[in-house]
Tab-separated table of all heavy atoms in Angstrom:
chain	number	residue	atom	x	y	z
A	65	LYS	N	100.422	-12.068	75.633
A	65	LYS	CA	101.838	-12.068	75.129
A	65	LYS	C	101.987	-13.224	74.178
A	65	LYS	O	101.147	-14.181	74.188
A	65	LYS	CB	102.788	-12.203	76.301
A	65	LYS	CG	102.857	-10.986	77.246
A	65	LYS	CD	103.901	-11.264	78.331
A	65	LYS	CE	104.031	-10.042	79.235
A	65	LYS	NZ	105.069	-10.343	80.305
A	66	GLU	N	103.037	-13.255	73.472
A	66	GLU	CA	103.382	-14.415	72.624
A	66	GLU	C	103.657	-15.679	73.529
A	66	GLU	O	103.956	-15.481	74.736
A	66	GLU	CB	104.557	-14.124	71.717
A	66	GLU	CG	104.276	-13.046	70.718
A	66	GLU	CD	105.326	-12.947	69.615
A	66	GLU	OE1	105.967	-13.967	69.323
A	66	GLU	OE2	105.408	-11.923	68.993
A	67	PRO	N	103.500	-16.829	73.033
A	67	PRO	CA	103.712	-18.057	73.871
A	67	PRO	C	105.034	-18.004	74.549
A	67	PRO	O	106.080	-17.585	74.008
A	67	PRO	CB	103.638	-19.190	72.783
A	67	PRO	CG	102.857	-18.664	71.696
A	67	PRO	CD	103.131	-17.201	71.589
A	68	SER	N	105.018	-18.436	75.827
A	68	SER	CA	106.189	-18.293	76.668
A	68	SER	C	107.095	-19.522	76.669
A	68	SER	O	108.174	-19.516	77.244
A	68	SER	CB	105.718	-18.029	78.141
A	68	SER	OG	104.911	-19.108	78.597
A	69	THR	N	106.671	-20.613	75.979
A	69	THR	CA	107.516	-21.802	75.891
A	69	THR	C	107.597	-22.266	74.471
A	69	THR	O	106.780	-21.916	73.618
A	69	THR	CB	106.860	-22.976	76.741
A	69	THR	OG1	105.556	-23.333	76.142
A	69	THR	CG2	106.680	-22.646	78.185
A	70	ASN	N	108.616	-23.042	74.246
A	70	ASN	CA	108.836	-23.637	72.898
A	70	ASN	C	109.262	-25.097	73.081
A	70	ASN	O	110.344	-25.318	73.670
A	70	ASN	CB	109.885	-22.871	72.125
A	70	ASN	CG	110.028	-23.413	70.671
A	70	ASN	OD1	109.125	-24.059	70.193
A	70	ASN	ND2	111.217	-23.221	70.069
A	71	PRO	N	108.394	-26.105	72.801
A	71	PRO	CA	107.128	-25.939	72.067
A	71	PRO	C	106.011	-25.355	72.887
A	71	PRO	O	106.128	-25.175	74.121
A	71	PRO	CB	106.808	-27.407	71.676
A	71	PRO	CG	107.428	-28.246	72.797
A	71	PRO	CD	108.698	-27.499	73.155
A	72	ASN	N	104.846	-25.088	72.313
A	72	ASN	CA	103.675	-24.658	72.985
A	72	ASN	C	102.410	-25.084	72.272
A	72	ASN	O	102.441	-25.221	70.988
A	72	ASN	CB	103.706	-23.093	73.165
A	72	ASN	CG	103.747	-22.400	71.843
A	72	ASN	OD1	102.688	-22.197	71.193
A	72	ASN	ND2	104.930	-22.029	71.382
A	73	LEU	N	101.333	-25.276	72.943
A	73	LEU	CA	100.119	-25.782	72.336
A	73	LEU	C	99.514	-24.752	71.360
A	73	LEU	O	98.937	-25.175	70.342
A	73	LEU	CB	99.055	-26.052	73.446
A	73	LEU	CG	97.737	-26.632	72.976
A	73	LEU	CD1	97.888	-27.963	72.240
A	73	LEU	CD2	96.751	-26.820	74.148
A	74	PHE	N	99.639	-23.481	71.620
A	74	PHE	CA	99.094	-22.478	70.764
A	74	PHE	C	99.612	-22.651	69.314
A	74	PHE	O	98.859	-22.595	68.364
A	74	PHE	CB	99.373	-21.087	71.277
A	74	PHE	CG	98.773	-19.971	70.440
A	74	PHE	CD1	97.514	-19.676	70.489
A	74	PHE	CD2	99.563	-19.221	69.571
A	74	PHE	CE1	96.893	-18.629	69.792
A	74	PHE	CE2	99.061	-18.191	68.804
A	74	PHE	CZ	97.691	-17.912	68.933
A	75	THR	N	100.895	-22.894	69.179
A	75	THR	CA	101.471	-23.104	67.861
A	75	THR	C	101.223	-24.481	67.371
A	75	THR	O	100.911	-24.683	66.200
A	75	THR	CB	102.993	-22.856	67.989
A	75	THR	OG1	103.306	-21.477	68.415
A	75	THR	CG2	103.662	-22.967	66.581
A	76	GLN	N	101.440	-25.501	68.223
A	76	GLN	CA	101.257	-26.860	67.807
A	76	GLN	C	99.884	-27.180	67.239
A	76	GLN	O	99.716	-27.869	66.226
A	76	GLN	CB	101.527	-27.818	69.002
A	76	GLN	CG	102.973	-27.809	69.515
A	76	GLN	CD	103.102	-28.575	70.770
A	76	GLN	OE1	102.336	-28.399	71.706
A	76	GLN	NE2	104.060	-29.508	70.827
Side-chain angles (χ1 to χ4, degrees):
K65 292 181 178 179
E66 295 193 24
S68 60
T69 64
N70 185 22
N72 61 82
L73 181 61
F74 182 76
T75 301
Q76 292 171 313

